[in-house]
Amino acid sequence: MTASSHSTVRQCDAVVVGAGIAGLYQMHRLRELGLSVQGIEAGTNVGGTWYWNRYPGARLDSQSELYQYWFSKELYESVPLSERFLAQPELEKWLQGVADKLDLKKSYQFSTRVEAAIFNDETGRWLVKTDQGDQIDCKYFVSCAGMLSAPMSNLFKGQETFKGKLFHTARWPKEEIDFSGKKVGVIGIGATGIQVIQSVAPLAGHLKVFVRTPQYTIRMNNPQYTEADRQKFHQEFETNKALVNTTFSGFQYDFENGSWHDATPEERQQVYEKLWSEGTLKLWLAAYFEVFVEQEANDDISEFVRNKLRARLNHDPELCDLLVPKDYGFATHRVPLENGYLEAFLRPNVTGVAVKENPIVEVVPEGIKLQDGTVHELDMLILATGFDAGTGALTRIDIRGRGGRKLADDWGRDIRTTMGLQVHGYPNLFTVGAPLAPSAALCNMTTCLQQQAGWIADAIAHLESKGLHTMEPSAEKEDEWVRHHDEIANATLLTKTDSWYMGSNIPGKPRRLLSYAGGVNVYKQACDEAKASGYPGFNLA
Ligand code: NA7
């Protein structure tokens, strides 16, 4: 794309935003339909999450052999499955390889951000505008911009005054950072902060971790895979491809220990111990279903995990007080895997600073200032402070639907979608990784993203084959899905805990469980049924 072409309006069938896992697959599927598709990506290259999140220790919590594309066995077999939980550099390389094999990069314009997308009521088409001055007129506007891609990077007063280096984990520089001898601060102990802390602790002169809400974690077991393991995964390709769509969490396993109530206390402990020792997300996503919905079952497993955490902290009372959760239950928000996160706090060069009662008030040139006036001096500050999840990627774009309605205003009042795939009032806007579909929270992301991008490709194929122009869920259809979503969400304990799952990390964000909690399998059935019965409740025109 050259600057001279910017003043004119280009035409294409579809604009796909994002070149991550979802965007690449969406691009592939839409191109297969013979459509002209323009991809727009803010990064300089493909990779999405695995392009942006290149902080030290960035790694999967999903098993590598299941965090995959399933549309090509050949592609699957070309992935170097070197260990159970692949790290960011390999994942970025993998997506580069996928894009090269499918020749997808030529369809993308990189280093470009979509700033606005405006629906024209008369033509029934979208005008997409970018920060590079592009104007693209298209029939379908498809967002694969990511569920966790809008970073909370400008959180603290005075950040710009900091004399040292300041990074948000999701905007990590490509060059190597030297931590040796440095006083490093980390804010945030979510899945991201935990990976940073365990990786930077051995490298930094001194590491200060500012802890607000302690985390339940599971110790990761990350064996190197052998050639025999890879052969086995290749043989299991068809089985796993089918299985991941039939389970609650999009992995190949499901709740397989019967009812929590039918088990004796000893049997439950055996189940927890067995799953704990596996060192995967199974303890969270496949122990007992009751853990998600019944306080008694949740209390039981929570105490099991707390005991594991206390033992790892050598029962040090101060560290246990700082790092072992007390006032919310295990499994009610994202449970990260880790490998040495807790042990990092036993090192002489690591200090945990409690900031719940004595919060951070601002960043000052020397470091971080707390409410009581204490200043913690730092050379580097790492913000592992998370994202405006689900909605942020879309509300940061000026999206205008029918009659000029603005998505940021609509979602500022109430976060609603139809199956996470479309929004009433925004014809031909299709979304992957948007609120009210299963997503990062409770799902193996590749499973969910492929389901959603696949459904969108099928819906667009349907419109094209019937010579139709627009598709939009009716208000009633959307009400029905939101009601169904809320009914399930409110029956779980997830809605009782504050975290990005509920949008509560963003002041003023309407409270709703962002991820669909009815199960990946149930969601898939609903999507399949909608397609098989000709999209009832969607207005096709
Ligand atoms: P998360 O899970 O949202 O974690 C953000 C962390 O930042 C969390 O520990 C927050 O504490 C902390 N935070 C945010 N603001 C502050 C202030 N003002 N003071 C102290 N601490 C603060 O983000 P992640 O990037 O770790 O993970 C997001 C998802 O990305 C993850 O679940 C994966 O699926 C990938 P809080 O808990 O709010 O007290």
Side-chain angles (χ1 to χ4, degrees):
M1 167 79 357
T2 58
S4 58
S5 59
H6 287 169
S7 51
T8 55
V9 177
R10 284 183 279 154
Q11 300 244 335
C12 66
D13 294 320
V15 164
V16 170
V17 188
I21 286 171
L24 293 178
Y25 181 57
Q26 190 73 75
M27 175 64 76
H28 172 60
R29 290 288 307 265
L30 294 184
R31 279 195 348 193
E32 274 189 337
L33 296 177
L35 301 181
S36 61
V37 192
Q38 177 65 61
I40 305 285
E41 166 58 53
T44 59
N45 215 321
V46 302
T49 286
W50 302 111
Y51 169 89
W52 293 105
N53 290 272
R54 50 182 71 246
Y55 59 83
R59 170 180 302 283
L60 278 179
D61 278 352
S62 292
Q63 284 147 262
S64 312
E65 69 275 16
L66 301 174
Y67 190 87
Q68 292 293 331
Y69 287 117
W70 296 104
F71 63 89
S72 159
K73 186 157 193 274
E74 189 198 334
L75 191 68
Y76 185 90
E77 291 184 352
S78 71
V79 182
L81 292 170
S82 56
E83 54 186 341
R84 186 186 269 168
F85 299 102
L86 284 172
Q88 180 272 335
E90 286 92 337
L91 294 161
E92 190 184 16
K93 230 181 280 165
W94 161 54
L95 292 167
Q96 289 276 357
V98 170
D100 287 338
K101 273 202 183 67
L102 301 173
D103 198 16
L104 298 174
K105 288 184 190 171
K106 68 174 185 207
S107 298
Y108 274 94
Q109 185 174 321
F110 292 98
S111 306
T112 303
R113 202 168 268 286
V114 173
E115 286 192 326
I118 295 152
F119 182 73
N120 183 324
D121 290 294
E122 277 163 31
T123 62
R125 291 173 68 90
W126 286 88
L127 181 66
V128 177
K129 299 181 184 179
T130 77
D131 64 353
Q132 300 300 309
D134 308 284
Q135 301 205 48
I136 309 165
D137 170 83
C138 59
K139 183 170 175 185
Y140 307 108
F141 179 53
V142 187
S143 170
C144 299
M147 177 166 203
L148 292 152
S149 60
M152 296 304 292
S153 49
N154 201 12
L155 259 189
F156 300 100
K157 193 177 134 204
Q159 272 182 216
E160 67 294 343
T161 69
F162 183 54
K163 282 191 305 202
K165 289 201 163 117
L166 187 146
F167 308 105
H168 188 281
T169 46
R171 290 292 177 270
W172 199 264
K174 287 179 183 158
E175 61 273 12
E176 188 99 349
I177 303 296
D178 181 10
F179 297 102
S180 55
K182 301 282 192 314
K183 285 179 277 184
V184 182
V186 176
I187 305 177
I189 55 165
T192 303
I194 279 167
Q195 294 185 333
V196 171
I197 291 159
Q198 66 195 15
S199 308
V200 173
L203 307 175
H206 194 93
L207 180 65
K208 277 195 178 162
V209 182
F210 297 87
V211 179
R212 191 162 67 179
T213 310
Q215 272 281 9
Y216 291 96
T217 61
I218 300 172
R219 184 167 206 158
M220 174 186 278
N221 179 12
N222 188 19
Q224 297 294 300
Y225 281 149
T226 63
E227 196 44 44
D229 291 325
R230 284 186 280 278
Q231 290 300 327
K232 182 169 163 288
F233 298 138
H234 294 169
Q235 279 158 19
E236 289 171 349
F237 175 82
E238 295 297 342
T239 318
N240 283 338
K241 174 185 174 172
L243 270 179
V244 293
N245 286 306
T246 63
T247 63
F248 174 75
S249 61
F251 290 99
Q252 96 288 31
Y253 51 73
D254 220 333
F255 301 105
E256 51 209 29
N257 302 302
S259 156
W260 183 84
H261 293 284
D262 293 344
T264 64
E266 294 72 31
E267 284 165 347
R268 290 172 196 148
Q269 291 297 311
Q270 278 168 14
V271 166
Y272 301 156
E273 284 290 356
K274 181 170 159 284
L275 298 182
W276 173 268
S277 65
E278 281 193 25
T280 67
L281 295 176
K282 230 171 155 179
L283 181 70
W284 172 30
L285 298 171
Y288 295 104
F289 183 69
E290 289 89 340
V291 162
F292 290 101
V293 290
E294 291 185 29
Q295 197 60 55
E296 197 189 355
N298 187 276
D299 288 345
D300 190 48
I301 196 166
S302 298
E303 189 53 17
F304 170 85
V305 179
R306 281 194 291 258
N307 280 330
K308 291 289 184 195
L309 305 185
R310 289 181 193 118
R312 302 239 329 261
L313 292 166
N314 296 338
H315 297 281
D316 178 305
E318 273 178 38
L319 285 180
C320 288
D321 191 46
L322 184 72
L323 297 169
V324 180
K326 296 184 247 316
D327 52 10
Y328 70 96
F330 172 77
T332 61
H333 74 204
R334 172 77 150 81
V335 180
L337 299 183
E338 46 79 33
N339 218 334
Y341 155 70
L342 288 170
E343 285 76 9
F345 290 88
L346 301 173
R347 297 174 60 93
N349 71 329
V350 176
T351 311
V353 181
V355 294
K356 189 156 182 95
E357 312 302 336
N358 183 19
I360 298 168
V361 284
E362 63 180 314
V363 175
V364 291
E366 300 74 33
I368 281 185
K369 189 172 176 185
L370 305 186
Q371 188 171 275
D372 69 358
T374 316
V375 172
H376 291 272
E377 289 189 12
L378 300 168
D379 304 313
M380 281 184 193
L381 176 56
I382 302 175
L383 303 182
T385 43
F387 303 88
D388 183 355
T391 54
L394 288 156
T395 55
R396 290 180 185 190
I397 300 173
D398 184 10
I399 297 179
R400 309 285 177 116
R402 267 192 297 106
R405 63 197 291 171
K406 198 171 173 187
L407 190 64
D409 291 344
D410 282 346
W411 281 0
R413 283 186 291 272
D414 195 10
I415 300 168
R416 302 162 61 82
T417 70
T418 301
M419 305 164 95
L421 297 163
Q422 283 216 279
V423 186
H424 173 68
Y426 300 81
N428 286 7
L429 166 65
F430 292 93
T431 52
V432 182
L436 279 62
S439 216
L442 292 165
C443 172
N444 177 22
M445 265 317 246
T446 51
T447 307
C448 307
L449 297 178
Q450 284 169 98
Q451 281 182 0
Q452 294 164 36
W455 189 91
I456 290 168
D458 290 344
I460 289 178
H462 178 80
L463 295 178
E464 292 295 302
S465 70
K466 302 272 180 227
L468 295 163
H469 298 287
T470 53
M471 175 167 185
E472 181 195 345
S474 65
E476 296 73 36
K477 177 75 186 168
E478 194 144 289
D479 282 347
E480 189 192 304
W481 183 256
V482 173
R483 253 198 322 273
H484 167 69
H485 171 92
D486 283 354
E487 207 178 303
I488 291 173
N490 293 334
T492 71
L493 300 168
L494 303 175
T495 51
K496 301 189 170 53
T497 296
D498 283 339
S499 76
W500 66 259
Y501 275 31
M502 296 300 297
S504 52
N505 62 328
I506 312 290
K509 187 163 173 172
R511 194 174 170 88
R512 169 163 281 135
L513 183 64
L514 292 170
S515 201
Y516 177 71
V520 171
N521 43 2
V522 174
Y523 176 79
K524 173 86 164 67
Q525 274 167 21
C527 289
D528 288 350
E529 272 166 34
K531 177 184 151 188
S533 45
Y535 306 100
F538 290 82
N539 296 323
L540 307 178

mmCIF file of all heavy atoms in Angstrom, residues 148 155-156 187-193 210 212-213 334 355 360 384-387 440 500 505, ligand 1:
data_model
loop_
_atom_site.group_PDB
_atom_site.id
_atom_site.type_symbol
_atom_site.label_atom_id
_atom_site.label_comp_id
_atom_site.label_asym_id
_atom_site.label_seq_id
_atom_site.Cartn_x
_atom_site.Cartn_y
_atom_site.Cartn_z
ATOM 1 N N LEU A 148 -8.295 -10.411 24.458
ATOM 2 C CA LEU A 148 -7.383 -9.845 25.457
ATOM 3 C C LEU A 148 -6.276 -9.115 24.716
ATOM 4 O O LEU A 148 -5.138 -9.576 24.651
ATOM 5 C CB LEU A 148 -6.831 -10.973 26.327
ATOM 6 C CG LEU A 148 -7.901 -11.621 27.220
ATOM 7 C CD1 LEU A 148 -7.561 -13.054 27.530
ATOM 8 C CD2 LEU A 148 -8.099 -10.825 28.496
ATOM 9 N N LEU A 155 -2.448 3.309 33.416
ATOM 10 C CA LEU A 155 -3.300 3.143 34.597
ATOM 11 C C LEU A 155 -3.029 4.145 35.700
ATOM 12 O O LEU A 155 -3.922 4.494 36.457
ATOM 13 C CB LEU A 155 -3.014 1.759 35.195
ATOM 14 C CG LEU A 155 -3.945 0.610 34.934
ATOM 15 C CD1 LEU A 155 -3.537 -0.563 35.812
ATOM 16 C CD2 LEU A 155 -5.380 0.985 35.219
ATOM 17 N N PHE A 156 -1.770 4.552 35.804
ATOM 18 C CA PHE A 156 -1.373 5.307 36.998
ATOM 19 C C PHE A 156 -1.013 6.742 36.667
ATOM 20 O O PHE A 156 -0.346 7.014 35.653
ATOM 21 C CB PHE A 156 -0.179 4.628 37.678
ATOM 22 C CG PHE A 156 -0.475 3.227 38.115
ATOM 23 C CD1 PHE A 156 -0.059 2.143 37.349
ATOM 24 C CD2 PHE A 156 -1.215 2.993 39.268
ATOM 25 C CE1 PHE A 156 -0.360 0.852 37.739
ATOM 26 C CE2 PHE A 156 -1.518 1.709 39.666
ATOM 27 C CZ PHE A 156 -1.095 0.628 38.895
ATOM 28 N N ILE A 187 3.853 -4.836 38.687
ATOM 29 C CA ILE A 187 2.490 -4.674 39.207
ATOM 30 C C ILE A 187 1.617 -5.686 38.475
ATOM 31 O O ILE A 187 1.565 -5.690 37.235
ATOM 32 C CB ILE A 187 1.946 -3.252 38.958
ATOM 33 C CG1 ILE A 187 2.896 -2.210 39.540
ATOM 34 C CG2 ILE A 187 0.550 -3.119 39.566
ATOM 35 C CD1 ILE A 187 2.469 -0.768 39.283
ATOM 36 N N GLY A 188 0.953 -6.529 39.245
ATOM 37 C CA GLY A 188 0.050 -7.508 38.639
ATOM 38 C C GLY A 188 0.542 -8.931 38.825
ATOM 39 O O GLY A 188 1.692 -9.244 38.507
ATOM 40 N N ILE A 189 -0.345 -9.766 39.359
ATOM 41 C CA ILE A 189 -0.019 -11.183 39.512
ATOM 42 C C ILE A 189 -1.131 -12.046 38.907
ATOM 43 O O ILE A 189 -1.526 -13.065 39.451
ATOM 44 C CB ILE A 189 0.252 -11.567 40.982
ATOM 45 C CG1 ILE A 189 -0.932 -11.169 41.873
ATOM 46 C CG2 ILE A 189 1.538 -10.943 41.493
ATOM 47 C CD1 ILE A 189 -0.895 -11.846 43.240
ATOM 48 N N GLY A 190 -1.644 -11.601 37.733
ATOM 49 C CA GLY A 190 -2.537 -12.460 36.953
ATOM 50 C C GLY A 190 -1.667 -13.482 36.215
ATOM 51 O O GLY A 190 -0.466 -13.621 36.492
ATOM 52 N N ALA A 191 -2.275 -14.160 35.242
ATOM 53 C CA ALA A 191 -1.542 -15.187 34.483
ATOM 54 C C ALA A 191 -0.256 -14.608 33.894
ATOM 55 O O ALA A 191 0.774 -15.285 33.820
ATOM 56 C CB ALA A 191 -2.448 -15.735 33.382
ATOM 57 N N THR A 192 -0.310 -13.339 33.499
ATOM 58 C CA THR A 192 0.861 -12.694 32.893
ATOM 59 C C THR A 192 1.930 -12.387 33.933
ATOM 60 O O THR A 192 3.096 -12.776 33.786
ATOM 61 C CB THR A 192 0.432 -11.376 32.207
ATOM 62 O OG1 THR A 192 -0.570 -11.667 31.245
ATOM 63 C CG2 THR A 192 1.605 -10.697 31.543
ATOM 64 N N GLY A 193 1.537 -11.658 34.986
ATOM 65 C CA GLY A 193 2.500 -11.245 36.003
ATOM 66 C C GLY A 193 3.244 -12.437 36.583
ATOM 67 O O GLY A 193 4.462 -12.384 36.810
ATOM 68 N N PHE A 210 4.259 -5.901 43.508
ATOM 69 C CA PHE A 210 3.179 -5.168 44.186
ATOM 70 C C PHE A 210 1.913 -6.015 44.097
ATOM 71 O O PHE A 210 1.347 -6.199 43.026
ATOM 72 C CB PHE A 210 3.009 -3.783 43.543
ATOM 73 C CG PHE A 210 4.261 -2.950 43.715
ATOM 74 C CD1 PHE A 210 5.298 -3.032 42.786
ATOM 75 C CD2 PHE A 210 4.426 -2.146 44.829
ATOM 76 C CE1 PHE A 210 6.467 -2.294 42.959
ATOM 77 C CE2 PHE A 210 5.594 -1.412 45.005
ATOM 78 C CZ PHE A 210 6.618 -1.487 44.068
ATOM 79 N N ARG A 212 -1.902 -7.041 45.013
ATOM 80 C CA ARG A 212 -3.194 -6.565 45.514
ATOM 81 C C ARG A 212 -4.090 -7.756 45.891
ATOM 82 O O ARG A 212 -4.529 -7.872 47.005
ATOM 83 C CB ARG A 212 -3.873 -5.667 44.469
ATOM 84 C CG ARG A 212 -5.056 -4.942 45.044
ATOM 85 C CD ARG A 212 -5.474 -3.764 44.221
ATOM 86 N NE ARG A 212 -6.007 -4.136 42.919
ATOM 87 C CZ ARG A 212 -6.459 -3.258 42.032
ATOM 88 N NH1 ARG A 212 -6.429 -1.965 42.317
ATOM 89 N NH2 ARG A 212 -6.933 -3.653 40.868
ATOM 90 N N THR A 213 -4.359 -8.645 44.908
ATOM 91 C CA THR A 213 -5.228 -9.799 45.189
ATOM 92 C C THR A 213 -4.442 -11.089 44.964
ATOM 93 O O THR A 213 -4.002 -11.360 43.837
ATOM 94 C CB THR A 213 -6.456 -9.792 44.251
ATOM 95 O OG1 THR A 213 -7.048 -8.480 44.289
ATOM 96 C CG2 THR A 213 -7.481 -10.826 44.666
ATOM 97 N N ARG A 334 -9.628 -16.825 36.255
ATOM 98 C CA ARG A 334 -8.566 -17.545 35.553
ATOM 99 C C ARG A 334 -7.561 -18.161 36.530
ATOM 100 O O ARG A 334 -7.042 -17.470 37.405
ATOM 101 C CB ARG A 334 -7.875 -16.549 34.615
ATOM 102 C CG ARG A 334 -6.630 -17.058 33.947
ATOM 103 C CD ARG A 334 -6.983 -17.998 32.799
ATOM 104 N NE ARG A 334 -5.963 -17.936 31.768
ATOM 105 C CZ ARG A 334 -4.804 -18.597 31.835
ATOM 106 N NH1 ARG A 334 -4.525 -19.392 32.840
ATOM 107 N NH2 ARG A 334 -3.944 -18.458 30.842
ATOM 108 N N VAL A 355 -0.361 -4.112 48.492
ATOM 109 C CA VAL A 355 -0.929 -2.821 48.067
ATOM 110 C C VAL A 355 -2.469 -2.820 48.065
ATOM 111 O O VAL A 355 -3.084 -2.035 47.370
ATOM 112 C CB VAL A 355 -0.375 -2.366 46.681
ATOM 113 C CG1 VAL A 355 1.101 -2.076 46.758
ATOM 114 C CG2 VAL A 355 -0.689 -3.373 45.588
ATOM 115 N N ILE A 360 -1.261 1.730 45.544
ATOM 116 C CA ILE A 360 -0.389 2.574 44.725
ATOM 117 C C ILE A 360 -1.183 3.834 44.385
ATOM 118 O O ILE A 360 -2.316 3.729 43.898
ATOM 119 C CB ILE A 360 -0.016 1.846 43.412
ATOM 120 C CG1 ILE A 360 0.755 0.566 43.727
ATOM 121 C CG2 ILE A 360 0.768 2.757 42.475
ATOM 122 C CD1 ILE A 360 0.907 -0.371 42.533
ATOM 123 N N ALA A 384 1.955 -5.547 34.522
ATOM 124 C CA ALA A 384 1.268 -6.778 34.080
ATOM 125 C C ALA A 384 -0.181 -6.624 34.511
ATOM 126 O O ALA A 384 -0.736 -7.456 35.221
ATOM 127 C CB ALA A 384 1.922 -7.996 34.714
ATOM 128 N N THR A 385 -0.765 -5.506 34.090
ATOM 129 C CA THR A 385 -2.036 -5.052 34.648
ATOM 130 C C THR A 385 -3.255 -5.418 33.801
ATOM 131 O O THR A 385 -4.345 -4.909 34.041
ATOM 132 C CB THR A 385 -1.981 -3.526 34.865
ATOM 133 O OG1 THR A 385 -1.356 -2.930 33.716
ATOM 134 C CG2 THR A 385 -1.166 -3.170 36.085
ATOM 135 N N GLY A 386 -3.057 -6.274 32.809
ATOM 136 C CA GLY A 386 -4.193 -6.852 32.113
ATOM 137 C C GLY A 386 -4.798 -6.003 31.004
ATOM 138 O O GLY A 386 -4.148 -5.094 30.464
ATOM 139 N N PHE A 387 -6.062 -6.300 30.709
ATOM 140 C CA PHE A 387 -6.701 -5.808 29.489
ATOM 141 C C PHE A 387 -8.132 -5.348 29.754
ATOM 142 O O PHE A 387 -8.769 -5.796 30.701
ATOM 143 C CB PHE A 387 -6.761 -6.952 28.458
ATOM 144 C CG PHE A 387 -5.418 -7.530 28.128
ATOM 145 C CD1 PHE A 387 -4.876 -8.574 28.881
ATOM 146 C CD2 PHE A 387 -4.666 -7.017 27.078
ATOM 147 C CE1 PHE A 387 -3.618 -9.102 28.575
ATOM 148 C CE2 PHE A 387 -3.413 -7.539 26.769
ATOM 149 C CZ PHE A 387 -2.893 -8.574 27.521
ATOM 150 N N ALA A 440 -11.309 -17.129 26.301
ATOM 151 C CA ALA A 440 -10.121 -17.403 27.123
ATOM 152 C C ALA A 440 -10.436 -17.884 28.532
ATOM 153 O O ALA A 440 -9.740 -18.737 29.067
ATOM 154 C CB ALA A 440 -9.265 -16.150 27.206
ATOM 155 N N TRP A 500 -11.269 -9.657 35.493
ATOM 156 C CA TRP A 500 -11.611 -9.242 34.127
ATOM 157 C C TRP A 500 -12.741 -10.083 33.560
ATOM 158 O O TRP A 500 -13.435 -9.660 32.632
ATOM 159 C CB TRP A 500 -10.373 -9.256 33.223
ATOM 160 C CG TRP A 500 -9.744 -10.588 32.938
ATOM 161 C CD1 TRP A 500 -8.639 -11.108 33.515
ATOM 162 C CD2 TRP A 500 -10.153 -11.555 31.944
ATOM 163 N NE1 TRP A 500 -8.334 -12.338 32.983
ATOM 164 C CE2 TRP A 500 -9.255 -12.633 32.013
ATOM 165 C CE3 TRP A 500 -11.199 -11.616 31.023
ATOM 166 C CZ2 TRP A 500 -9.346 -13.761 31.188
ATOM 167 C CZ3 TRP A 500 -11.307 -12.745 30.200
ATOM 168 C CH2 TRP A 500 -10.385 -13.783 30.289
ATOM 169 N N ASN A 505 -12.320 -5.139 36.385
ATOM 170 C CA ASN A 505 -10.995 -4.485 36.420
ATOM 171 C C ASN A 505 -11.035 -3.106 35.745
ATOM 172 O O ASN A 505 -10.050 -2.382 35.778
ATOM 173 C CB ASN A 505 -9.932 -5.366 35.747
ATOM 174 C CG ASN A 505 -10.220 -5.632 34.278
ATOM 175 O OD1 ASN A 505 -11.379 -5.711 33.882
ATOM 176 N ND2 ASN A 505 -9.199 -5.753 33.472
HETATM 177 P P1 NA7 B 1 -5.216 -9.867 34.800
HETATM 178 O O1 NA7 B 1 -5.541 -11.284 35.056
HETATM 179 O O2 NA7 B 1 -6.344 -8.921 34.628
HETATM 180 O O3 NA7 B 1 -4.281 -9.389 35.984
HETATM 181 C C1 NA7 B 1 -4.002 -8.036 36.197
HETATM 182 C C2 NA7 B 1 -3.240 -7.901 37.472
HETATM 183 O O4 NA7 B 1 -2.917 -6.529 37.673
HETATM 184 C C3 NA7 B 1 -4.017 -8.346 38.697
HETATM 185 O O5 NA7 B 1 -3.155 -8.990 39.586
HETATM 186 C C4 NA7 B 1 -4.508 -7.015 39.248
HETATM 187 O O6 NA7 B 1 -4.809 -7.042 40.616
HETATM 188 C C5 NA7 B 1 -3.305 -6.165 38.990
HETATM 189 N N1 NA7 B 1 -3.602 -4.745 39.068
HETATM 190 C C6 NA7 B 1 -4.332 -4.004 38.204
HETATM 191 N N2 NA7 B 1 -4.414 -2.734 38.655
HETATM 192 C C7 NA7 B 1 -3.710 -2.680 39.809
HETATM 193 C C8 NA7 B 1 -3.436 -1.651 40.741
HETATM 194 N N3 NA7 B 1 -3.900 -0.416 40.578
HETATM 195 N N4 NA7 B 1 -2.686 -1.960 41.824
HETATM 196 C C9 NA7 B 1 -2.225 -3.205 41.995
HETATM 197 N N5 NA7 B 1 -2.459 -4.238 41.167
HETATM 198 C C10 NA7 B 1 -3.204 -3.963 40.072
HETATM 199 O O7 NA7 B 1 -4.277 -9.703 33.523
HETATM 200 P P2 NA7 B 1 -3.231 -10.726 32.886
HETATM 201 O O8 NA7 B 1 -2.547 -10.020 31.786
HETATM 202 O O9 NA7 B 1 -2.408 -11.348 33.931
HETATM 203 O O10 NA7 B 1 -4.111 -11.865 32.322
HETATM 204 C C11 NA7 B 1 -5.195 -11.605 31.449
HETATM 205 C C12 NA7 B 1 -5.450 -12.829 30.633
HETATM 206 O O11 NA7 B 1 -4.564 -12.813 29.510
HETATM 207 C C13 NA7 B 1 -5.160 -14.113 31.318
HETATM 208 O O12 NA7 B 1 -6.233 -14.529 32.081
HETATM 209 C C14 NA7 B 1 -4.806 -15.028 30.196
HETATM 210 O O13 NA7 B 1 -5.945 -15.705 29.727
HETATM 211 C C15 NA7 B 1 -4.233 -14.141 29.145
HETATM 212 P P3 NA7 B 1 -6.350 -7.333 41.104
HETATM 213 O O14 NA7 B 1 -6.548 -8.793 40.863
HETATM 214 O O15 NA7 B 1 -7.223 -6.479 40.218
HETATM 215 O O16 NA7 B 1 -6.386 -6.928 42.510
#
